[in-house]
Amino acid sequence: MQFIRYESFRQYLKLYPITSLLIAANVVMFIVLTFYGSSTSVPTLLHFGAMYKLDAASAASLGLPAAPAIWRFFAAVFLHSGPYHLLFNMFNLLVFAPPLERTIGSLRYLFFYVLAGVCGNLASYLLHGDIFFGVGASGAIYGIYAAYLYMSFFGARRLDPSSKQTVITIVAIGVVYSIAVPGIDIYAHLGGLIGGFLLMALLARRPHRNA
């Protein structure tokens, strides 16, 4: 099982520097949101880069352009609404990201993570037909799951059976949960999942030298 963490804190930082940096960045941004106003305040989240889709009148009332600026597709990946949202996503990142960082290399993993998150935000923006606000690392995390799905079925370095079953189960439960529970952005999750799968397929053509 690749997803059981045995490392000490120092070992974790040394072995998985980008995952550690991403977790730290998310926690720091959550602290900034909390002290600025509130991590659950829509105006605060919008100020720091939340995604949105608004009609012209609503956007004007908030002093926003009708379409979100490109930087928001990146910034929203590092914002979370409330402590539960943050803790849930950071736990998944802490546990599931390390094997992927080691497999594809830290720098490529950083680009993969950010681009998977952007894919989630892009899908959310394009597919939402109503007014919405969106933040969170879920799209990037589903991209990580998708990378393991690719490795499970197509990759040269496939997951062990236990890890493969874990990923399939988590994705299946996550998709059902996203559909069944109001307020969960299924489009961001699916966008991250599809984007991560395609990104992993591209990366697999040029394997990491030390993988």
Side-chain angles (χ1 to χ4, degrees):
M1 167 65 80
Q2 298 187 41
F3 305 129
I4 298 177
R5 307 266 57 85
Y6 296 104
E7 304 88 359
S8 68
F9 180 72
R10 287 187 177 182
Q11 289 173 329
Y12 193 98
L13 292 178
K14 182 178 180 180
L15 292 171
Y16 319 118
I18 297 301
T19 298
S20 301
L21 180 64
L22 290 171
I23 292 173
N26 280 280
V27 172
V28 167
M29 286 309 305
F30 183 80
I31 293 172
V32 170
L33 291 172
T34 300
F35 279 94
Y36 186 86
S38 169
S39 66
T40 58
S41 165
V42 171
T44 298
L45 291 168
L46 286 171
H47 178 78
F48 284 94
M51 281 295 301
Y52 65 85
K53 190 170 190 177
L54 300 168
D55 56 49
S58 298
S61 68
L62 292 169
L64 296 169
I70 292 176
W71 67 273
R72 290 182 179 274
F73 289 85
F74 295 86
V77 179
F78 298 92
L79 305 177
H80 289 83
S81 178
Y84 173 78
H85 190 204
L86 174 73
L87 290 173
F88 182 80
N89 280 345
M90 292 307 98
F91 173 79
N92 281 282
L93 191 57
L94 178 78
V95 173
F96 293 103
L100 183 61
E101 181 173 353
R102 294 286 286 179
T103 299
I104 65 177
S106 293
L107 185 59
R108 297 208 299 176
Y109 163 71
L110 174 61
F111 283 105
F112 175 93
Y113 179 91
V114 173
L115 289 177
V118 170
C119 286
N121 286 332
L122 180 61
S124 186
Y125 176 72
L126 293 175
L127 297 176
H128 268 286
D130 55 346
I131 291 176
F132 93 101
F133 302 96
V135 293
S138 298
I141 292 170
Y142 270 81
I144 292 172
Y145 296 154
Y148 293 131
L149 289 177
Y150 181 88
M151 287 191 288
S152 295
F153 295 103
F154 302 106
R157 295 177 61 85
R158 300 191 176 187
L159 299 184
D160 61 88
S162 180
S163 298
K164 175 181 176 181
Q165 187 59 50
T166 297
V167 172
I168 292 174
T169 301
I170 287 175
V171 170
I173 293 174
V175 171
V176 171
Y177 183 82
S178 300
I179 295 172
V181 178
I184 304 296
D185 194 345
I186 180 63
Y187 299 133
H189 292 180
L190 292 179
L193 192 69
I194 295 171
F197 193 90
L198 295 176
L199 286 168
M200 192 61 193
L202 291 174
L203 289 175
R205 295 183 178 183
R206 299 183 65 181
H208 175 53
R209 183 179 300 174
N210 296 324

